Amino acid sequence: MVAEQHDTIEDRKPQSDEARSAFAPPEGVEQPQVPEEDSPTSEFALPAGLATPVVEAPADQPASAFATPSSYSARDTPNALITTAGLPLVRLSKDAPWQDRMRTMLRMPVGDRPVAEPVQKHDDTGPAVPRVLDLTLRIGELLLSGGEGAEDVEAAMFAICRSYGLDRCEPTVTFTMLAITHQPSLVDDPVTANRTVRRRGTDYTRLAAVHRLVTDMTSEDHEVSLEEAYRRLAEIRRNRHPYPGWVLTTACGLLAGAASVLLGGGVAVFLAAAVGAVLGDRLAWLCASRGLPEFYQFVVAAMPPAAMGVALSLQSSWDLSPSAVITGGLFALIPGRALVAAVQDGLTGFYVTASARLLEVGYFFVAIVAGVLTVLYGGLQIHAELNPEGTFKPIDRPVVQILASFVLCLTFAVLLQQDRSTVLIVASNGAVAWVIYAAIAVTAKGSPIMATAVAAGLVGLFGQLLSRYWNTSALLYVTAAIGPLLPGSAMYFGVLSIAQKHTDQGIASLAKAAALALAIAIGVNLGNEIARLFLRAPGAGRAAAKRTRGF
């Protein structure tokens, strides 16, 4: 019975050629007249007199919608693009820096990008795709491990591929992984390669050398073959740091001493802060040689400056400032470079990498707090006189403070392994930033957060201008220059309040430190974007993503 009913239902179903279309007009409605062949009305119809070649597929091979037409050649296609509105897109000017041109194309859809014009010469067979991808990943690894933002790393990887004529390349950068995919055409299999970043090091001399290599590879004035690029990359990796270990340790002590003077300390405070920072640096090097993670290295490095401050607080007759000693020692530990890179990645849309960088910065902050808090708990047990209410009062010593900020930035640049030719420039940039901050926060009695953001914005603006003039990375002129603006005092007083069981006051102070750190990072990024906005070369605009309007 069920089978007979099923057969009846199937008989009532119309066959495929009898099925009605949902777009068929109902009965009684006249269908529109089909235009004649000589009077096309569709906007997609070809104009009269324009004939298209008909490409017939071989008899033994079925036609495919993804097959490349025989009349098409990617090399012979024009560079000017036509949008759906019929307006030609602006061609990218070769006078623009490669960073701006690559950022522009990265934000374009793949189908709208101009065809790659190989800058570097090669034989008729073309470059070896796996070797080009491997070279691209190795250079991207050096840039990412050196502290470059994810967008800048992608722009460099994209520039290398296009300089060797590889079209349809898509780089992908995360916190620990780099990948790049090359698809020759729609019918060819894509080639994908990736590389993991396992070690991170701070060497801005190496970073500048990598930027020079990428600039030469993307310039028509220099011919850099794959073998030459590999040779230069190997030399960059083999180069030793420009400063020996004892110079770095001395610079760490001078940085802490200059920071303590910047906060109102004298000669004795300078020496105490320097000694504490040197001991912390040596202990951190010892932990690193034993294979301890960076978290514990930061914990150990934060203890000697705090111990020096506690020792000075026990000598009430000396009339010294333990707070300045401890805060000066913390200046060399605050991860300002990682924080700026994290916020930059977040503002440019790389949220996964930004989250990972912010998590790393959070771990470093927790390590510093743990190291200082351990020593302060011990100091309170022996009745050390530490006052969380004793915030630093503005001291009218402009000449001394400007010199201190200059020394702080200079030693910071040495710790970052910058080239000797850039040290004085970045130190001057940092001194100017401190003058702007003091003019707003001390002289005009404005908000410290606003003063920090304005000063950091000028640092980013000057750094971007200098990087464009010297055609190198902006990190060389930005990272060390923000040294005087780091929130060392707010962090110290927050930790001290927590140690003395004033939890609410301590959390408020730590929140202020976080706000100051974010003001620095956002100000630096805003200064960079302002420089790119007003100094943009013709045809090097960047199409940004539109706001989501809340959904």
Side-chain angles (χ1 to χ4, degrees):
M1 182 67 181
V2 176
E4 294 178 358
Q5 185 178 2
H6 179 73
D7 295 337
T8 305
I9 295 175
E10 289 294 334
D11 293 338
R12 288 202 301 266
K13 286 186 178 180
Q15 300 299 322
S16 59
D17 55 349
E18 298 175 356
R20 285 183 173 273
S21 171
F23 299 96
E27 296 181 0
V29 179
E30 295 183 0
Q31 297 185 5
Q33 296 294 329
V34 179
E36 299 179 0
E37 294 183 358
D38 55 350
S39 59
T41 59
S42 173
E43 62 181 16
F44 299 100
L46 293 173
L50 179 61
T52 56
V54 179
V55 181
E56 297 181 357
D60 57 346
Q61 181 179 358
S64 173
F66 297 96
T68 305
S70 60
S71 60
Y72 172 79
S73 175
R75 300 296 178 191
D76 299 334
T77 55
N79 290 330
L81 299 176
I82 304 297
T83 62
T84 55
L87 300 176
L89 293 178
V90 180
R91 292 186 59 182
L92 299 177
S93 173
K94 295 183 179 180
D95 297 333
W98 64 265
Q99 294 93 334
D100 291 344
R101 290 187 281 115
M102 296 305 113
R103 289 191 190 97
T104 302
M105 283 185 282
L106 281 174
R107 295 194 177 188
M108 285 182 181
V110 178
D112 293 344
R113 293 172 182 169
V115 177
E117 298 180 2
V119 176
Q120 304 302 326
K121 298 179 181 179
H122 48 78
D123 52 12
D124 296 336
T125 60
V129 174
R131 295 197 67 195
V132 174
L133 298 184
D134 177 72
L135 176 66
T136 302
L137 290 174
R138 291 178 182 273
I139 293 178
E141 178 191 6
L142 285 180
L143 293 175
L144 186 63
S145 62
E148 279 285 5
E151 188 180 31
D152 295 329
V153 177
E154 282 196 359
M157 296 171 64
F158 196 68
I160 296 169
C161 289
R162 292 184 68 87
S163 64
Y164 286 102
L166 297 188
D167 203 4
R168 296 180 179 272
C169 288
E170 284 295 331
T172 303
V173 175
T174 59
F175 185 62
T176 57
M177 178 71 71
L178 297 98
I180 188 164
T181 301
H182 168 64
Q183 188 172 12
S185 66
L186 292 176
V187 295
D188 294 327
D189 295 331
V191 180
T192 303
N194 58 63
R195 193 173 183 88
T196 303
V197 179
R198 302 191 181 276
R199 294 190 62 185
R200 300 180 183 274
T202 304
D203 190 343
Y204 279 11
T205 301
R206 179 181 297 174
L207 187 66
V210 174
H211 265 269
R212 286 194 295 269
L213 174 58
V214 177
T215 301
D216 292 343
M217 295 169 67
T218 56
S219 175
E220 296 180 349
D221 300 332
H222 298 81
E223 182 179 351
V224 182
S225 62
L226 283 176
E227 290 72 17
E228 177 68 15
Y230 269 108
R231 184 189 64 80
R232 291 179 57 177
L233 187 62
E235 290 180 354
I236 293 173
R237 287 181 175 273
R238 286 196 302 265
N239 284 342
R240 292 187 175 183
H241 299 310
Y243 308 102
W246 66 269
V247 174
L248 299 179
T249 302
T250 304
C252 185
L254 292 177
L255 188 152
S260 64
V261 173
L262 194 66
L263 300 171
V267 177
V269 172
F270 176 91
L271 295 176
V275 171
V278 168
L279 292 177
D281 181 74
R282 288 292 89 193
L283 287 176
W285 275 102
L286 179 62
C287 293
S289 63
R290 298 303 176 90
L292 287 179
E294 280 187 303
F295 179 86
Y296 301 105
Q297 297 176 29
F298 272 81
V299 172
V300 172
M303 287 183 175
M308 292 294 297
V310 171
L312 290 179
S313 65
L314 297 175
Q315 303 294 331
S316 57
S317 60
W318 289 5
D319 192 20
L320 298 177
S321 176
S323 301
V325 174
I326 299 176
T327 305
L330 296 181
F331 265 78
L333 301 177
I334 298 176
R337 173 181 60 89
L339 180 65
V340 171
V343 175
Q344 180 181 358
D345 288 343
L347 294 177
T348 52
F350 294 84
Y351 300 115
V352 176
T353 307
S355 301
R357 289 185 189 270
L358 286 176
L359 185 61
E360 181 189 39
V361 172
Y363 271 106
F364 289 160
F365 271 108
V366 171
I368 296 172
V369 169
V372 176
L373 200 58
T374 302
V375 176
L376 293 183
Y377 271 128
L380 293 177
Q381 299 302 319
I382 58 177
H383 306 288
E385 297 180 0
L386 298 171
N387 183 15
E389 300 291 342
T391 56
F392 297 114
K393 298 179 180 180
I395 300 176
D396 190 11
R397 297 190 303 176
V399 177
V400 175
Q401 289 179 329
I402 292 174
L403 291 177
S405 62
F406 183 87
V407 174
L408 190 152
C409 296
L410 188 145
T411 52
F412 205 164
V414 172
L415 289 176
L416 293 174
Q417 301 282 0
Q418 290 193 201
D419 188 75
R420 293 177 176 85
S421 60
T422 64
V423 169
L424 294 180
I425 299 176
V426 70
S428 301
N429 193 12
V432 172
W434 173 257
V435 170
I436 300 300
Y437 169 82
I440 298 176
V442 179
T443 305
K445 301 185 184 302
S447 171
I449 297 178
M450 182 188 68
T452 301
V454 173
L458 291 177
V459 168
L461 178 61
F462 293 154
Q464 189 64 226
L465 295 177
L466 292 172
S467 67
R468 285 174 175 268
Y469 181 78
W470 296 106
N471 201 11
T472 184
S473 173
L475 291 179
L476 277 66
Y477 306 101
V478 170
T479 305
I482 64 175
L485 306 176
L486 295 177
S489 59
M491 178 182 294
Y492 163 69
F493 285 116
V495 174
L496 181 58
S497 298
I498 293 176
Q500 295 184 340
K501 299 181 180 180
H502 302 294
T503 307
D504 295 339
Q505 184 178 353
I507 293 176
S509 185
L510 290 178
K512 180 182 177 181
L516 290 172
L518 290 177
I520 294 173
I522 294 175
V524 168
N525 183 265
L526 181 60
N528 290 336
E529 294 299 330
I530 289 175
R532 293 170 183 166
L533 179 64
F534 292 101
L535 298 180
R536 186 180 63 192
R542 290 190 302 159
K546 295 182 179 180
R547 62 190 182 98
T548 58
R549 298 182 182 274
F551 55 85

